[in-house]
Amino acid sequence: MNVKTADLCDKYIEELEVCMLPFQSYGKAKRFAGPISTVKVFEDNVLVKEALQTIPEGHVLVVDGGGSKRCALMGDMLGEIAVERKLAGVIINGCIRDSAELGKMGIGIFAIGTNPRKSIKEGKGENEIPLTFGDISWHPGDYVYCDEDGVVKSKRKLM
């Protein structure tokens, strides 16, 4: 992706929502964009894995993990699935693990932190629903743009 979030803000600020969460970048791709698919979970990554296995190529999976830092919702094995399926990226309101390995993978990964502890595996949560975190209303099918400066969301594809 060659589009910069700063340029999008300069041109389309009235159409954008700017995320206020302090995400860290963990994937090799520092810039990524695409249509949004969503998952809402809490300390359980079963639906995260299912979404990574089923959402369309080029999508960005937005995961609302409730901001929990008590365990990771994604690690290297899920990262490999995302890369193999050619997803644009993953944004997690929660933690990842295996950060060194994820940092070598050609995908964008934003999360609020790391934790070596794995999540529970009960399959609880919801997918493809509207989410709200970071001062953004995340809707499936909207577009997200991510880079070193931050994350912005639009109801339509801008570039």
Side-chain angles (χ1 to χ4, degrees), residues 12 15 34-35 141-145 154-159:
Y12 300 103
E15 293 185 54
D142 287 355
Y143 279 76
V144 64
Y145 300 85
S154 172
K155 292 192 179 296
R156 67 182 180 97
K157 184 176 182 178
L158 298 175
M159 300 188 156

Side-chain angles (χ1 to χ4, degrees), residues 37-39 46-56 61 81 85 87 127-128:
S37 291
T38 65
V39 171
V46 171
L47 293 183
V48 175
K49 181 178 182 181
E50 288 177 9
L52 291 171
Q53 293 171 324
T54 59
I55 67 173
L61 179 61
I81 293 169
R85 298 218 44 259
L87 303 182
N127 57 20
E128 294 304 329

Side-chain angles (χ1 to χ4, degrees), residues 1 16 18 57-58 74 77-78 81 89 91 102 108 135 138 148:
M1 176 183 99
L16 296 176
V18 179
E57 179 178 319
M74 181 178 180
M77 293 182 352
L78 297 189
I81 293 169
I91 299 171
L102 291 174
D135 289 351
W138 308 88
E148 300 87 345

Side-chain angles (χ1 to χ4, degrees), residues 26-47:
Y26 293 102
K28 187 175 180 180
K30 302 301 179 196
R31 296 180 180 184
F32 59 99
I36 295 170
S37 291
T38 65
V39 171
K40 183 173 183 156
V41 297
F42 188 74
E43 299 178 2
D44 182 336
N45 76 346
V46 171
L47 293 183

Side-chain angles (χ1 to χ4, degrees), residues 1-5 7-8 31-33 145-147 159:
M1 176 183 99
N2 292 328
V3 179
K4 295 184 344 184
T5 58
D7 292 343
L8 290 174
R31 296 180 180 184
F32 59 99
Y145 300 85
C146 308
D147 68 9
M159 300 188 156

